[in-house]
Amino acid sequence: MTVSEVTTAPQGTRKPSFWYRLPVGYVSLDLHPPVERLMELVTQLRGLPEPERGDADRALRLYTGIVSLLNTNRVQECALGVHPNDSGGFTTSVFTVSTLLTAGNSSKFVMAGLVGNAADGREEGTRPLELPCGLGVLSEKRPPAPQPSRQPEASNTAPTHIWQGTVAVAAPSTPELIVLQMVTPDLDSADAYRDILLGIARTLTFTDPARATADDEDRKPEALTRGAAAIRNDFG
């Protein structure tokens, strides 16, 4: 289990502005790979035999392209999940955290509108959430799955639709919405992945967990704060 620290400013310019926990089974993709590491990979590629060199080069180009796309869309976290299923195989998912700027520094007003629409049933597949960090909105969709542009012979085994769950929360002191999103091609496991997404959302906090832990130690034997209790209940 890991605690992720996120800042929406360039690296090193300010402290993390929100935190959340990732459960077991997720591995984070490095969205800011050091140039030295990329050059090291290029050097290693040049030493591979020709067939393997071509495949590895395409994989590296795909990785750098995905990282560039994610950074362009203000994605702060991208984690790949692999979990065993009941049939002896594995289910996969992708979890992302991104920030969405709102017009006029009005993230709380935007969130109030989303919550109102969800409560009134005006947004299908959307419902309001009460989280330890504040009000949020959960949206669920089953859009068509992206189809591969190459190898059409594999299209018969590719999923036709995916499950996409999204939780949005207003940041308390910035004009941003924090957007947590879970995507999986395993429609039969949608309920389980919804629970994982909601579990992560319940750990979202705008207070440094290290500071909260120190405060808890100072207040013992007082009861846990709501946010700290949610984190421990969801992921131990």
Side-chain angles (χ1 to χ4, degrees):
M1 181 181 306
T2 60
V3 177
S4 297
E5 301 181 335
V6 176
T7 174
T8 56
Q11 185 110 9
T13 61
R14 88 176 185 205
K15 294 181 179 179
S17 54
F18 60 92
W19 295 258
Y20 53 90
R21 287 181 180 256
L22 279 178
V24 173
Y26 284 90
V27 177
S28 294
L29 187 67
D30 187 357
L31 299 183
H32 303 282
V35 175
E36 295 80 5
R37 175 55 179 161
L38 293 178
M39 294 305 298
E40 179 183 342
L41 289 175
V42 171
T43 301
Q44 293 176 357
L45 291 182
R46 290 173 177 170
L48 292 174
E50 181 57 37
E52 290 83 356
R53 187 190 313 163
D55 291 340
D57 180 68
R58 283 189 291 273
L60 180 60
R61 290 177 182 274
L62 176 62
Y63 169 62
T64 56
I66 291 175
V67 167
S68 177
L69 179 62
L70 293 176
N71 287 326
T72 299
N73 287 278
R74 299 177 61 84
V75 174
Q76 313 295 331
E77 167 87 81
C78 180
L80 308 180
V82 179
H83 298 91
N85 58 25
D86 294 336
S87 61
F90 293 89
T91 64
T92 59
S93 63
V94 178
F95 172 72
T96 59
V97 179
S98 57
T99 54
L100 179 63
L101 286 174
T102 58
N105 299 333
S106 57
S107 61
K108 291 185 178 180
F109 290 107
V110 171
M111 179 54 59
L114 293 175
V115 171
N117 290 341
D120 294 342
R122 283 177 281 179
E123 295 290 342
E124 186 177 356
T126 302
R127 61 184 173 92
L129 292 175
E130 185 175 349
L131 300 171
C133 65
L135 287 178
V137 170
L138 169 66
S139 173
E140 295 185 65
K141 298 180 180 179
R142 296 198 176 196
Q147 296 302 312
S149 58
R150 297 182 180 180
Q151 297 179 336
E153 66 277 4
S155 60
N156 292 333
T157 60
T160 58
H161 289 76
I162 59 174
W163 177 83
Q164 175 183 298
T166 305
V167 172
V169 179
S173 57
T174 67
E176 298 163 334
L177 294 179
I178 312 302
V179 180
L180 315 178
Q181 188 170 89
M182 183 77 72
V183 176
T184 179
D186 187 354
L187 299 182
D188 293 336
S189 299
D191 290 345
Y193 281 108
R194 182 194 307 109
D195 290 341
I196 295 175
L197 174 62
L198 292 176
I200 297 173
R202 292 188 186 103
T203 71
L204 179 65
T205 178
F206 299 99
T207 301
D208 187 342
R211 178 180 175 183
T213 301
D215 290 343
D216 285 343
E217 292 294 330
D218 292 339
R219 287 196 300 268
K220 280 185 177 181
E222 294 180 14
L224 291 171
T225 64
R226 185 178 181 186
I231 290 176
R232 297 192 184 187
N233 289 340
D234 283 317
F235 297 133

